[in-house]
Amino acid sequence: MFNIFKKKPKEVPPFHELEKSEQKDQFFKRLSQWDWLDSDTIHVIDRNAPRMITMDPWPQLVFLSAKGQITISEFVYEMVGKYGRSQTVPEDLDVIVLDTIDRLINEGLIALLNEQEVLPYYIDLPTSMQEKEKAERLMIRDNFLKK
């Protein structure tokens, strides 16, 4: 009758860069161990250099989402869902995500996959939640850690 309660569908940008990307249908996974620094921030243990890395919110969100279970395209549209009905989805959200993924790949913190993959125990969980002996045994088995 008056359509007062009819919800207007969320407007989603066309994401031209995502559609052109050869990476859009690839899965992405973490390559490094991590833990919570505080309730909002993680630190990543760089296995290629003696350093611990903290991240800005976007790279951190991408890193934590890199579980080898969703494609880049699925991740972009999952992020669209995080915006409320009254919020405008950024036109360049796809570019932001693609650039962030490229930076994390170049840092050696994530990798792309053609198929889904389950993360190993020592990468999946924050280090503070792992059983130390189990994690060490699995890292040696997987040649992640040299004995």
Side-chain angles (χ1 to χ4, degrees):
M1 183 153 119
F2 289 106
N3 292 328
I4 295 173
F5 300 107
K6 189 172 184 177
K7 292 183 178 179
K8 181 181 173 186
K10 185 183 296 191
E11 290 190 31
V12 178
F15 296 141
H16 297 297
E17 291 303 313
L18 179 64
E19 291 309 313
K20 291 189 307 191
S21 174
E22 294 178 9
Q23 301 173 335
K24 70 180 178 184
D25 295 322
Q26 291 188 292
F27 300 88
F28 56 111
K29 72 169 187 172
R30 295 192 286 267
L31 297 175
S32 297
Q33 292 183 289
W34 64 282
D35 206 349
W36 291 101
L37 191 59
D38 59 37
S39 62
D40 299 319
T41 309
I42 65 168
H43 67 271
V44 177
I45 302 157
D46 187 344
R47 64 183 271 207
N48 302 312
R51 65 181 179 144
M52 293 172 68
I53 302 164
T54 56
M55 301 177 184
D56 289 331
W58 264 111
Q60 178 174 302
L61 180 60
V62 170
F63 181 83
L64 290 174
S65 299
K67 297 179 181 180
Q69 299 299 304
I70 62 171
T71 64
I72 293 172
S73 183
E74 290 169 334
F75 178 72
V76 169
Y77 286 98
E78 189 176 290
M79 292 303 97
V80 167
K82 303 283 185 195
Y83 288 85
R85 292 218 180 270
S86 61
Q87 296 175 304
T88 302
V89 177
E91 291 285 328
D92 63 345
L93 179 63
D94 59 336
V95 174
I96 292 167
V97 170
L98 289 167
D99 287 348
T100 302
I101 287 174
D102 282 343
R103 280 185 283 139
L104 292 173
I105 289 169
N106 291 334
E107 287 284 329
L109 301 178
I110 68 170
L112 298 180
L113 309 163
N114 291 323
E115 298 177 4
Q116 286 182 324
E117 188 175 298
V118 176
L119 291 177
Y121 173 82
Y122 50 88
I123 300 258
D124 187 29
L125 297 175
T127 55
S128 61
M129 296 184 69
Q130 297 174 14
E131 294 176 36
K132 186 178 179 185
E133 295 79 20
K134 177 181 179 180
E136 189 173 303
R137 185 177 68 252
L138 293 171
M139 286 188 282
I140 290 169
R141 181 200 70 189
D142 295 345
N143 288 321
F144 185 82
L145 179 67
K146 306 295 183 213
K147 189 170 182 180

